[in-house]
PDB file of all heavy atoms in Angstrom:
ATOM      1  N   GLY A 356      49.173 -46.597 161.182  1.00 96.00           N
ATOM      2  CA  GLY A 356      49.557 -47.765 161.957  1.00 96.00           C
ATOM      3  C   GLY A 356      50.746 -48.508 161.395  1.00 96.00           C
ATOM      4  O   GLY A 356      51.408 -49.257 162.115  1.00 96.00           O
ATOM      5  N   THR A 357      51.031 -48.323 160.113  1.00 96.00           N
ATOM      6  CA  THR A 357      52.172 -48.997 159.475  1.00 96.00           C
ATOM      7  C   THR A 357      53.255 -48.006 159.071  1.00 96.00           C
ATOM      8  O   THR A 357      54.099 -48.307 158.229  1.00 96.00           O
ATOM      9  CB  THR A 357      51.698 -49.787 158.242  1.00 96.00           C
ATOM     10  OG1 THR A 357      51.080 -48.889 157.308  1.00 96.00           O
ATOM     11  CG2 THR A 357      50.704 -50.874 158.638  1.00 96.00           C
ATOM     12  N   ALA A 358      53.233 -46.825 159.655  1.00 95.00           N
ATOM     13  CA  ALA A 358      54.198 -45.773 159.311  1.00 95.00           C
ATOM     14  C   ALA A 358      55.615 -46.172 159.726  1.00 95.00           C
ATOM     15  O   ALA A 358      55.819 -47.039 160.582  1.00 95.00           O
ATOM     16  CB  ALA A 358      53.807 -44.464 159.990  1.00 95.00           C
ATOM     17  N   THR A 359      56.592 -45.532 159.138  1.00 95.00           N
ATOM     18  CA  THR A 359      57.986 -45.764 159.492  1.00 95.00           C
ATOM     19  C   THR A 359      58.345 -44.985 160.761  1.00 95.00           C
ATOM     20  O   THR A 359      57.623 -44.071 161.181  1.00 95.00           O
ATOM     21  CB  THR A 359      58.915 -45.309 158.362  1.00 95.00           C
ATOM     22  OG1 THR A 359      58.798 -43.880 158.215  1.00 95.00           O
ATOM     23  CG2 THR A 359      58.560 -45.985 157.044  1.00 95.00           C
ATOM     24  N   HIS A 360      59.479 -45.349 161.339  1.00 96.00           N
ATOM     25  CA  HIS A 360      59.951 -44.603 162.505  1.00 96.00           C
ATOM     26  C   HIS A 360      60.245 -43.158 162.109  1.00 96.00           C
ATOM     27  O   HIS A 360      60.030 -42.237 162.919  1.00 96.00           O
ATOM     28  CB  HIS A 360      61.208 -45.248 163.079  1.00 96.00           C
ATOM     29  CG  HIS A 360      61.691 -44.605 164.344  1.00 96.00           C
ATOM     30  ND1 HIS A 360      60.895 -44.452 165.450  1.00 96.00           N
ATOM     31  CD2 HIS A 360      62.883 -44.037 164.672  1.00 96.00           C
ATOM     32  CE1 HIS A 360      61.567 -43.851 166.417  1.00 96.00           C
ATOM     33  NE2 HIS A 360      62.774 -43.577 165.963  1.00 96.00           N
ATOM     34  N   ARG A 361      60.698 -42.935 160.897  1.00 97.00           N
ATOM     35  CA  ARG A 361      60.922 -41.569 160.405  1.00 97.00           C
ATOM     36  C   ARG A 361      59.616 -40.777 160.438  1.00 97.00           C
ATOM     37  O   ARG A 361      59.593 -39.608 160.844  1.00 97.00           O
ATOM     38  CB  ARG A 361      61.488 -41.616 158.987  1.00 97.00           C
ATOM     39  CG  ARG A 361      61.782 -40.256 158.367  1.00 97.00           C
ATOM     40  CD  ARG A 361      62.415 -40.451 156.995  1.00 97.00           C
ATOM     41  NE  ARG A 361      62.784 -39.178 156.382  1.00 97.00           N
ATOM     42  CZ  ARG A 361      61.962 -38.418 155.653  1.00 97.00           C
ATOM     43  NH1 ARG A 361      60.704 -38.821 155.455  1.00 97.00           N
ATOM     44  NH2 ARG A 361      62.363 -37.278 155.127  1.00 97.00           N
ATOM     45  N   ASP A 362      58.522 -41.413 160.003  1.00 96.00           N
ATOM     46  CA  ASP A 362      57.216 -40.746 160.054  1.00 96.00           C
ATOM     47  C   ASP A 362      56.844 -40.408 161.501  1.00 96.00           C
ATOM     48  O   ASP A 362      56.325 -39.329 161.792  1.00 96.00           O
ATOM     49  CB  ASP A 362      56.133 -41.649 159.452  1.00 96.00           C
ATOM     50  CG  ASP A 362      56.333 -41.915 157.970  1.00 96.00           C
ATOM     51  OD1 ASP A 362      56.870 -41.021 157.277  1.00 96.00           O
ATOM     52  OD2 ASP A 362      55.958 -43.010 157.524  1.00 96.00           O
ATOM     53  N   TRP A 363      57.093 -41.354 162.405  1.00 96.00           N
ATOM     54  CA  TRP A 363      56.751 -41.134 163.808  1.00 96.00           C
ATOM     55  C   TRP A 363      57.546 -39.962 164.382  1.00 96.00           C
ATOM     56  O   TRP A 363      56.997 -39.148 165.144  1.00 96.00           O
ATOM     57  CB  TRP A 363      57.034 -42.395 164.630  1.00 96.00           C
ATOM     58  CG  TRP A 363      56.609 -42.235 166.062  1.00 96.00           C
ATOM     59  CD1 TRP A 363      55.388 -42.526 166.602  1.00 96.00           C
ATOM     60  CD2 TRP A 363      57.399 -41.694 167.134  1.00 96.00           C
ATOM     61  NE1 TRP A 363      55.373 -42.207 167.942  1.00 96.00           N
ATOM     62  CE2 TRP A 363      56.590 -41.694 168.291  1.00 96.00           C
ATOM     63  CE3 TRP A 363      58.698 -41.197 167.227  1.00 96.00           C
ATOM     64  CZ2 TRP A 363      57.041 -41.240 169.530  1.00 96.00           C
ATOM     65  CZ3 TRP A 363      59.152 -40.740 168.462  1.00 96.00           C
ATOM     66  CH2 TRP A 363      58.330 -40.762 169.593  1.00 96.00           C
ATOM     67  N   LEU A 364      58.815 -39.870 164.031  1.00 97.00           N
ATOM     68  CA  LEU A 364      59.625 -38.761 164.536  1.00 97.00           C
ATOM     69  C   LEU A 364      59.047 -37.417 164.094  1.00 97.00           C
ATOM     70  O   LEU A 364      59.033 -36.446 164.857  1.00 97.00           O
ATOM     71  CB  LEU A 364      61.071 -38.895 164.060  1.00 97.00           C
ATOM     72  CG  LEU A 364      61.871 -40.043 164.694  1.00 97.00           C
ATOM     73  CD1 LEU A 364      63.221 -40.195 163.997  1.00 97.00           C
ATOM     74  CD2 LEU A 364      62.065 -39.812 166.185  1.00 97.00           C
ATOM     75  N   GLY A 365      58.560 -37.361 162.856  1.00 97.00           N
ATOM     76  CA  GLY A 365      57.920 -36.132 162.389  1.00 97.00           C
ATOM     77  C   GLY A 365      56.663 -35.819 163.179  1.00 97.00           C
ATOM     78  O   GLY A 365      56.426 -34.660 163.560  1.00 97.00           O
ATOM     79  N   ALA A 366      55.850 -36.858 163.430  1.00 98.00           N
ATOM     80  CA  ALA A 366      54.634 -36.647 164.220  1.00 98.00           C
ATOM     81  C   ALA A 366      54.974 -36.217 165.640  1.00 98.00           C
ATOM     82  O   ALA A 366      54.292 -35.363 166.231  1.00 98.00           O
ATOM     83  CB  ALA A 366      53.796 -37.919 164.235  1.00 98.00           C
ATOM     84  N   ASN A 367      56.013 -36.794 166.213  1.00 98.00           N
ATOM     85  CA  ASN A 367      56.406 -36.433 167.564  1.00 98.00           C
ATOM     86  C   ASN A 367      56.852 -34.978 167.644  1.00 98.00           C
ATOM     87  O   ASN A 367      56.588 -34.284 168.630  1.00 98.00           O
ATOM     88  CB  ASN A 367      57.525 -37.354 168.045  1.00 98.00           C
ATOM     89  CG  ASN A 367      57.850 -37.146 169.511  1.00 98.00           C
ATOM     90  OD1 ASN A 367      56.962 -37.158 170.361  1.00 98.00           O
ATOM     91  ND2 ASN A 367      59.119 -36.936 169.812  1.00 98.00           N
ATOM     92  N   GLU A 368      57.526 -34.488 166.606  1.00 98.00           N
ATOM     93  CA  GLU A 368      57.922 -33.077 166.593  1.00 98.00           C
ATOM     94  C   GLU A 368      56.686 -32.177 166.557  1.00 98.00           C
ATOM     95  O   GLU A 368      56.626 -31.147 167.261  1.00 98.00           O
ATOM     96  CB  GLU A 368      58.826 -32.790 165.395  1.00 98.00           C
ATOM     97  CG  GLU A 368      59.306 -31.348 165.280  1.00 98.00           C
ATOM     98  CD  GLU A 368      60.181 -30.895 166.440  1.00 98.00           C
ATOM     99  OE1 GLU A 368      60.815 -31.762 167.104  1.00 98.00           O
ATOM    100  OE2 GLU A 368      60.242 -29.676 166.703  1.00 98.00           O
ATOM    101  N   VAL A 369      55.684 -32.565 165.772  1.00 98.00           N
ATOM    102  CA  VAL A 369      54.434 -31.801 165.751  1.00 98.00           C
ATOM    103  C   VAL A 369      53.786 -31.830 167.131  1.00 98.00           C
ATOM    104  O   VAL A 369      53.272 -30.819 167.618  1.00 98.00           O
ATOM    105  CB  VAL A 369      53.479 -32.365 164.681  1.00 98.00           C
ATOM    106  CG1 VAL A 369      52.124 -31.643 164.738  1.00 98.00           C
ATOM    107  CG2 VAL A 369      54.081 -32.227 163.296  1.00 98.00           C
ATOM    108  N   ARG A 370      53.824 -32.987 167.781  1.00 98.00           N
ATOM    109  CA  ARG A 370      53.271 -33.111 169.119  1.00 98.00           C
ATOM    110  C   ARG A 370      53.955 -32.160 170.101  1.00 98.00           C
ATOM    111  O   ARG A 370      53.320 -31.535 170.942  1.00 98.00           O
ATOM    112  CB  ARG A 370      53.402 -34.558 169.601  1.00 98.00           C
ATOM    113  CG  ARG A 370      52.699 -34.848 170.935  1.00 98.00           C
ATOM    114  CD  ARG A 370      53.676 -35.249 172.020  1.00 98.00           C
ATOM    115  NE  ARG A 370      54.438 -36.416 171.706  1.00 98.00           N
ATOM    116  CZ  ARG A 370      54.102 -37.665 172.059  1.00 98.00           C
ATOM    117  NH1 ARG A 370      53.014 -37.879 172.748  1.00 98.00           N
ATOM    118  NH2 ARG A 370      54.874 -38.689 171.725  1.00 98.00           N
ATOM    119  N   GLU A 371      55.274 -32.027 169.989  1.00 98.00           N
ATOM    120  CA  GLU A 371      55.991 -31.134 170.895  1.00 98.00           C
ATOM    121  C   GLU A 371      55.597 -29.680 170.667  1.00 98.00           C
ATOM    122  O   GLU A 371      55.477 -28.902 171.620  1.00 98.00           O
ATOM    123  CB  GLU A 371      57.503 -31.317 170.749  1.00 98.00           C
ATOM    124  CG  GLU A 371      58.005 -32.647 171.297  1.00 98.00           C
ATOM    125  CD  GLU A 371      57.612 -32.840 172.756  1.00 98.00           C
ATOM    126  OE1 GLU A 371      57.980 -31.991 173.594  1.00 98.00           O
ATOM    127  OE2 GLU A 371      56.924 -33.839 173.059  1.00 98.00           O
ATOM    128  N   HIS A 372      55.368 -29.289 169.417  1.00 98.00           N
ATOM    129  CA  HIS A 372      54.858 -27.944 169.152  1.00 98.00           C
ATOM    130  C   HIS A 372      53.480 -27.759 169.780  1.00 98.00           C
ATOM    131  O   HIS A 372      53.164 -26.676 170.304  1.00 98.00           O
ATOM    132  CB  HIS A 372      54.806 -27.686 167.638  1.00 98.00           C
ATOM    133  CG  HIS A 372      56.151 -27.421 167.024  1.00 98.00           C
ATOM    134  ND1 HIS A 372      56.691 -26.157 166.942  1.00 98.00           N
ATOM    135  CD2 HIS A 372      57.070 -28.258 166.488  1.00 98.00           C
ATOM    136  CE1 HIS A 372      57.887 -26.219 166.362  1.00 98.00           C
ATOM    137  NE2 HIS A 372      58.151 -27.480 166.085  1.00 98.00           N
ATOM    138  N   LEU A 373      52.661 -28.810 169.700  1.00 98.00           N
ATOM    139  CA  LEU A 373      51.337 -28.760 170.324  1.00 98.00           C
ATOM    140  C   LEU A 373      51.467 -28.572 171.837  1.00 98.00           C
ATOM    141  O   LEU A 373      50.748 -27.762 172.439  1.00 98.00           O
ATOM    142  CB  LEU A 373      50.583 -30.052 170.012  1.00 98.00           C
ATOM    143  CG  LEU A 373      49.245 -30.263 170.717  1.00 98.00           C
ATOM    144  CD1 LEU A 373      48.234 -29.226 170.280  1.00 98.00           C
ATOM    145  CD2 LEU A 373      48.716 -31.679 170.426  1.00 98.00           C
ATOM    146  N   ARG A 374      52.403 -29.276 172.446  1.00 98.00           N
ATOM    147  CA  ARG A 374      52.590 -29.156 173.896  1.00 98.00           C
ATOM    148  C   ARG A 374      53.002 -27.726 174.275  1.00 98.00           C
ATOM    149  O   ARG A 374      52.525 -27.179 175.277  1.00 98.00           O
ATOM    150  CB  ARG A 374      53.644 -30.146 174.369  1.00 98.00           C
ATOM    151  CG  ARG A 374      53.232 -31.607 174.226  1.00 98.00           C
ATOM    152  CD  ARG A 374      54.266 -32.518 174.860  1.00 98.00           C
ATOM    153  NE  ARG A 374      54.314 -32.314 176.298  1.00 98.00           N
ATOM    154  CZ  ARG A 374      55.348 -32.650 177.058  1.00 98.00           C
ATOM    155  NH1 ARG A 374      56.435 -33.186 176.518  1.00 98.00           N
ATOM    156  NH2 ARG A 374      55.304 -32.450 178.369  1.00 98.00           N
ATOM    157  N   TYR A 375      53.872 -27.129 173.492  1.00 98.00           N
ATOM    158  CA  TYR A 375      54.273 -25.750 173.772  1.00 98.00           C
ATOM    159  C   TYR A 375      53.108 -24.784 173.573  1.00 98.00           C
ATOM    160  O   TYR A 375      52.980 -23.797 174.312  1.00 98.00           O
ATOM    161  CB  TYR A 375      55.469 -25.350 172.902  1.00 98.00           C
ATOM    162  CG  TYR A 375      56.789 -25.767 173.488  1.00 98.00           C
ATOM    163  CD1 TYR A 375      57.322 -27.025 173.247  1.00 98.00           C
ATOM    164  CD2 TYR A 375      57.512 -24.901 174.316  1.00 98.00           C
ATOM    165  CE1 TYR A 375      58.536 -27.423 173.804  1.00 98.00           C
ATOM    166  CE2 TYR A 375      58.722 -25.279 174.875  1.00 98.00           C
ATOM    167  CZ  TYR A 375      59.226 -26.542 174.615  1.00 98.00           C
ATOM    168  OH  TYR A 375      60.428 -26.922 175.174  1.00 98.00           O
ATOM    169  N   ALA A 376      52.253 -25.053 172.575  1.00 98.00           N
ATOM    170  CA  ALA A 376      51.086 -24.190 172.362  1.00 98.00           C
ATOM    171  C   ALA A 376      50.149 -24.240 173.560  1.00 98.00           C
ATOM    172  O   ALA A 376      49.630 -23.210 174.010  1.00 98.00           O
ATOM    173  CB  ALA A 376      50.351 -24.612 171.088  1.00 98.00           C
ATOM    174  N   PHE A 377      49.944 -25.435 174.126  1.00 98.00           N
ATOM    175  CA  PHE A 377      49.101 -25.539 175.304  1.00 98.00           C
ATOM    176  C   PHE A 377      49.776 -24.939 176.537  1.00 98.00           C
ATOM    177  O   PHE A 377      49.106 -24.357 177.402  1.00 98.00           O
ATOM    178  CB  PHE A 377      48.697 -26.987 175.557  1.00 98.00           C
ATOM    179  CG  PHE A 377      47.418 -27.381 174.873  1.00 98.00           C
ATOM    180  CD1 PHE A 377      47.434 -28.154 173.722  1.00 98.00           C
ATOM    181  CD2 PHE A 377      46.201 -26.954 175.363  1.00 98.00           C
ATOM    182  CE1 PHE A 377      46.252 -28.504 173.082  1.00 98.00           C
ATOM    183  CE2 PHE A 377      45.005 -27.286 174.735  1.00 98.00           C
ATOM    184  CZ  PHE A 377      45.035 -28.072 173.583  1.00 98.00           C
ATOM    185  N   ALA A 378      51.086 -25.076 176.632  1.00 98.00           N
ATOM    186  CA  ALA A 378      51.790 -24.464 177.768  1.00 98.00           C
ATOM    187  C   ALA A 378      51.591 -22.953 177.768  1.00 98.00           C
ATOM    188  O   ALA A 378      51.356 -22.340 178.822  1.00 98.00           O
ATOM    189  CB  ALA A 378      53.272 -24.811 177.714  1.00 98.00           C
ATOM    190  N   GLU A 379      51.641 -22.339 176.583  1.00 98.00           N
ATOM    191  CA  GLU A 379      51.405 -20.893 176.487  1.00 98.00           C
ATOM    192  C   GLU A 379      49.944 -20.578 176.801  1.00 98.00           C
ATOM    193  O   GLU A 379      49.641 -19.598 177.495  1.00 98.00           O
ATOM    194  CB  GLU A 379      51.777 -20.408 175.086  1.00 98.00           C
ATOM    195  CG  GLU A 379      51.851 -18.901 174.950  1.00 98.00           C
ATOM    196  CD  GLU A 379      50.482 -18.225 174.808  1.00 98.00           C
ATOM    197  OE1 GLU A 379      49.563 -18.871 174.242  1.00 98.00           O
ATOM    198  OE2 GLU A 379      50.320 -17.068 175.269  1.00 98.00           O
ATOM    199  N   PHE A 380      49.026 -21.416 176.308  1.00 98.00           N
ATOM    200  CA  PHE A 380      47.600 -21.224 176.564  1.00 98.00           C
ATOM    201  C   PHE A 380      47.335 -21.191 178.072  1.00 98.00           C
ATOM    202  O   PHE A 380      46.563 -20.361 178.560  1.00 98.00           O
ATOM    203  CB  PHE A 380      46.831 -22.373 175.900  1.00 98.00           C
ATOM    204  CG  PHE A 380      45.336 -22.326 176.058  1.00 98.00           C
ATOM    205  CD1 PHE A 380      44.555 -21.583 175.187  1.00 98.00           C
ATOM    206  CD2 PHE A 380      44.697 -23.052 177.060  1.00 98.00           C
ATOM    207  CE1 PHE A 380      43.167 -21.557 175.314  1.00 98.00           C
ATOM    208  CE2 PHE A 380      43.325 -23.026 177.198  1.00 98.00           C
ATOM    209  CZ  PHE A 380      42.558 -22.272 176.318  1.00 98.00           C
ATOM    210  N   PHE A 381      48.009 -22.070 178.805  1.00 98.00           N
ATOM    211  CA  PHE A 381      47.763 -22.152 180.244  1.00 98.00           C
ATOM    212  C   PHE A 381      48.568 -21.129 181.053  1.00 98.00           C
ATOM    213  O   PHE A 381      48.525 -21.156 182.278  1.00 98.00           O
ATOM    214  CB  PHE A 381      48.008 -23.573 180.737  1.00 98.00           C
ATOM    215  CG  PHE A 381      46.901 -24.530 180.368  1.00 98.00           C
ATOM    216  CD1 PHE A 381      47.152 -25.634 179.564  1.00 98.00           C
ATOM    217  CD2 PHE A 381      45.603 -24.309 180.803  1.00 98.00           C
ATOM    218  CE1 PHE A 381      46.133 -26.507 179.217  1.00 98.00           C
ATOM    219  CE2 PHE A 381      44.573 -25.173 180.459  1.00 98.00           C
ATOM    220  CZ  PHE A 381      44.841 -26.270 179.653  1.00 98.00           C
TER     221      PHE A 381
END
Side-chain angles (χ1 to χ4, degrees):
T357 59
T359 65
H360 185 55
R361 181 177 183 274
D362 295 328
W363 184 90
L364 290 172
N367 188 51
E368 180 63 25
V369 175
R370 187 244 301 267
E371 290 304 302
H372 284 271
L373 173 65
R374 294 186 66 201
Y375 276 87
F377 270 104
E379 192 281 329
F380 180 85
F381 285 119

